[in-house]
Amino acid sequence: MANTEVREHAHPTVDVYLRVAAALVILTVLEVGVFYVPAFHGVLVPVLLVLSAAKFALVIMFYMHLKADNKFFTFLFGAPLLLAVGVMVALLFLFYGALTLRGAAGAG
Amino acid sequence: MTHAAHAPTTHYTSMGLDSRKMAFWAFIGSECLLFGSLISTYLVYKGRSVVGPYPHDILNIPFTSVSTFDLLMSSLMMVLALAAVQRGDMKWGKIWLFSTALLGLVFLGGQVIEFTEFVHKGLTMSTNLFGCTFFVLTGTHGAHVAVGVLWLLTLWVRALQGRLGPANAMTVEITGLYWHFVDVVWIIIFTVVYLIQ
């Protein structure tokens, strides 16, 4: 298979690129909007994280072509990303979580 | 001497994938770990500063929202540049490449203004934990944007010299991968640092 080109993907059309850009702008306006609306303050963090994740997914799927590209590229990007998110969650639990090693020892 | 665009020698892996593209995705994966560690550090030290200024005293959401919009639009320009180069429309390829670099420069200008304002308000790297982690995180991102702008301008000059064409579309695509990655990192920073205070 070496020295043989595999057709990796068909890139989206300009029309798709423009639609994704419009979606990104709308999501950003929503993000800033919920930040200023007091009614959303109770659910601000989950709403912002969902909106941010949606923007992230749109860019990597359509602008970075992962949706249609070879799945090995998704693995090369996704595996370290999951590791980074895992480290982040673990650190946040260690520093802010109710269950800490010291807390668990004290409770025991 | 002619400068006709020519395709670089392309190597394919045993999986039949372009080796440059595969290596670049691996590099982007390593960048995920770099920014993951910087964002984690920011979050871990969040709210632990014992002296001000604190994030809610100093962060300017309207200003940063405009910077975010600017960077998102630069990503659109980048994919339009790639599409133009792939179909051999080098006139628009040059326009979109330069527009992408220009929007990147606007973003960097905004970051310089923001940093200067923060320093005038008393926030430096050594003021408190917020200042230290904020400047390291956003400064590292800004350095990546600066590298991206230089890269884009290099491609633009090559296009002006007639040394960039459809045969080099993969070079433009790899530049685009870097630029979009810088954009997705900012999407996270904008939410985690600026909006979730």
Side-chain angles (χ1 to χ4, degrees):
Chain A
M1 197 67 185
N3 299 321
T4 305
E5 180 182 9
V6 168
R7 185 65 190 163
E8 290 162 10
H9 56 275
H11 285 172
T13 61
V14 169
D15 185 48
V16 172
Y17 288 147
L18 292 173
R19 283 169 195 238
V20 170
L24 289 170
V25 170
I26 290 168
L27 288 169
T28 305
V29 169
L30 284 175
E31 275 185 328
V32 178
V34 297
F35 176 80
Y36 283 111
V37 177
F40 281 102
H41 283 183
V43 289
L44 188 64
V45 173
V47 169
L48 285 174
L49 288 178
V50 167
L51 290 172
S52 178
K55 286 166 69 180
F56 186 95
L58 280 174
V59 174
I60 63 166
M61 282 196 307
F62 293 100
Y63 285 180
M64 297 172 87
H65 309 126
L66 277 188
K67 185 169 186 284
D69 229 331
N70 191 290
K71 295 302 170 204
F72 189 66
F73 296 139
T74 306
F75 168 75
L76 282 177
F77 177 66
L81 180 68
L82 280 178
L83 184 59
V85 171
V87 167
M88 197 181 298
V89 171
L91 280 171
L92 287 174
F93 263 101
L94 274 174
F95 280 80
Y96 291 102
L99 180 64
T100 62
L101 293 176
R102 189 180 299 167
Chain B
M1 182 179 173
T2 58
H3 294 291
H6 63 280
T9 307
T10 307
H11 296 282
Y12 294 99
T13 65
S14 58
M15 298 170 72
L17 302 172
D18 187 297
S19 56
R20 290 172 302 161
K21 192 171 175 182
M22 194 165 104
F24 205 79
W25 270 112
F27 166 71
I28 289 178
S30 72
E31 290 278 276
C32 283
L33 294 170
L34 169 69
F35 280 103
S37 64
L38 293 177
I39 292 169
S40 298
T41 309
Y42 178 84
L43 288 174
V44 160
Y45 288 131
K46 191 178 170 77
R48 290 173 188 248
S49 296
V50 290
V51 294
Y54 302 105
H56 59 270
D57 299 328
I58 208 162
L59 294 177
N60 185 340
I61 302 302
F63 183 83
T64 318
S65 302
V66 173
S67 290
T68 303
F69 176 77
D70 170 83
L71 211 53
L72 288 174
M73 288 304 100
S74 77
S75 264
L76 172 63
M77 303 291 121
M78 187 69 238
V79 284
L80 292 179
L82 174 62
V85 171
Q86 282 174 331
R87 66 174 182 267
D89 184 355
M90 289 314 296
K91 178 193 165 195
W92 280 102
K94 285 177 226 169
I95 291 171
W96 294 132
L97 276 175
F98 184 73
S99 304
T100 311
L102 191 64
L103 288 177
L105 280 172
V106 169
F107 178 86
L108 286 174
Q111 201 164 40
V112 168
I113 292 170
E114 183 189 41
F115 283 12
T116 308
E117 188 186 329
F118 286 3
V119 170
H120 286 155
K121 286 181 177 173
L123 184 73
T124 65
M125 283 274 286
S126 54
T127 305
N128 55 21
L129 283 170
F130 165 62
C132 182
T133 53
F134 173 83
F135 281 118
V136 170
L137 173 58
T138 56
T140 304
H141 177 265
H144 278 72
V145 175
V147 169
V149 167
L150 286 175
W151 194 348
L152 286 163
L153 288 175
T154 306
L155 280 188
W156 179 64
V157 169
R158 280 182 61 187
L160 287 178
Q161 293 172 335
R163 292 164 57 197
L164 190 75
N168 313 99
M170 182 55 77
T171 306
V172 180
E173 185 172 346
I174 288 172
T175 311
L177 287 179
Y178 178 83
W179 192 255
H180 300 310
F181 177 73
V182 166
D183 186 24
V184 292
V185 169
W186 184 255
I187 285 172
I188 297 168
I189 291 176
F190 180 59
T191 300
V192 169
V193 175
Y194 290 86
L195 296 180
I196 301 176
Q197 293 177 19

